[in-house]
Amino acid sequence: MSSLTPFESGDTGQRASDADRDHVAAVLGEALATGRLTSVEHADRLEAAYSAVTIGDLIPLTRDLPGLATTSAPVATTEQQAITAVFSKVIRGGRWVPGRHTALRSTFGALIVDLTDAVLPGREITLELDSFCGKLIVRVPQNARVIDEGSAVFSKRHVSGGDEGGDPNGPLIRVTGRALFGKVVVSRGVADWHWPWRTH
């Protein structure tokens, strides 16, 4: 349980933890995705959240938003998510909130995920990419840094977007998982693999 619990007791002088900051960032991300905050408001509040020293610094950032004042539990949808394509083609893009740990699985299918307009729930997320006889393609934001910790067996695996070209203050995307007789591509650009719904 997060130390955000003291919100109700009025202990605003307690120092905030990284979990507290990430929790507030998740609520702000949900507010942006649902239209309660503009992109400028979201950016300002997110910067303030990660600069916060005490719980009292965090409270004003979410006081007018649902999802934090009434509970100390993290927003469930921002912790873990799973998107699966089995014998099918699934495309996910636009403005959405992925989980802090998002599992992407393709089995005899194609799963295409665009994170460029997604509202990331914190400074670091983990993508677990598992492809079995399928294709899995992920486009990450231009300012993202990518760390590849996955593996491949009899597969094509191409993960780009490491520290080169990424913003040191941008989100960190940790890529794990395994490709078996499949294909996994993680890239910042569209040119490498022709983003499917923008080619016609």
Side-chain angles (χ1 to χ4, degrees), residues 101 126-130 147-151 157 174-178:
H101 181 106
T126 298
L127 299 179
E128 181 185 341
L129 309 182
D130 292 312
I147 296 177
D148 184 16
E149 299 176 346
S151 63
R157 183 182 180 90
R174 194 175 301 275
V175 178
T176 65
R178 183 182 186 199

Side-chain angles (χ1 to χ4, degrees), residues 82-103:
I83 304 174
T84 304
V86 180
F87 291 101
S88 59
K89 180 177 183 180
V90 175
I91 298 174
R92 185 69 182 266
R95 180 173 285 186
W96 62 292
V97 183
R100 193 167 279 110
H101 181 106
T102 298

Side-chain angles (χ1 to χ4, degrees), residues 1-184:
M1 181 173 290
S2 166
S3 61
L4 286 173
T5 305
F7 274 14
E8 299 302 322
S9 64
D11 185 7
T12 58
Q14 180 175 325
R15 294 186 73 88
S17 68
D18 285 341
D20 295 330
R21 297 182 189 95
D22 284 345
H23 185 185
V24 170
V27 173
L28 295 175
E30 287 282 356
L32 175 62
T34 56
R36 289 188 170 92
L37 291 178
T38 66
S39 57
V40 173
E41 289 172 328
H42 174 261
D44 290 344
R45 293 193 192 195
L46 191 62
E47 182 179 355
Y50 283 123
S51 301
V53 176
T54 67
I55 295 294
D57 296 331
L58 293 173
I59 291 175
L61 303 177
T62 57
R63 181 172 283 142
D64 58 347
L65 300 173
L68 188 58
T70 58
T71 177
S72 61
V75 180
T77 56
T78 61
E79 291 304 312
Q80 294 191 358
Q81 275 190 34
I83 304 174
T84 304
V86 180
F87 291 101
S88 59
K89 180 177 183 180
V90 175
I91 298 174
R92 185 69 182 266
R95 180 173 285 186
W96 62 292
V97 183
R100 193 167 279 110
H101 181 106
T102 298
L104 305 176
R105 297 186 175 91
S106 175
T107 303
F108 293 100
L111 178 55
I112 302 167
V113 175
D114 188 355
L115 294 174
T116 55
D117 294 323
V119 180
L120 303 184
R123 290 175 290 186
E124 178 177 337
I125 69 169
T126 298
L127 299 179
E128 181 185 341
L129 309 182
D130 292 312
S131 175
F132 176 66
C133 298
K135 179 166 38 173
L136 213 163
I137 299 175
V138 179
R139 183 181 178 199
V140 300
Q142 287 290 334
N143 66 338
R145 294 168 295 139
V146 179
I147 296 177
D148 184 16
E149 299 176 346
S151 63
V153 178
F154 296 110
S155 300
K156 177 179 180 180
R157 183 182 180 90
H158 174 75
V159 178
S160 63
D163 285 337
E164 66 284 351
D167 183 346
N169 298 316
L172 177 64
I173 298 177
R174 194 175 301 275
V175 178
T176 65
R178 183 182 186 199
L180 180 61
F181 300 106
K183 178 179 181 180
V184 170

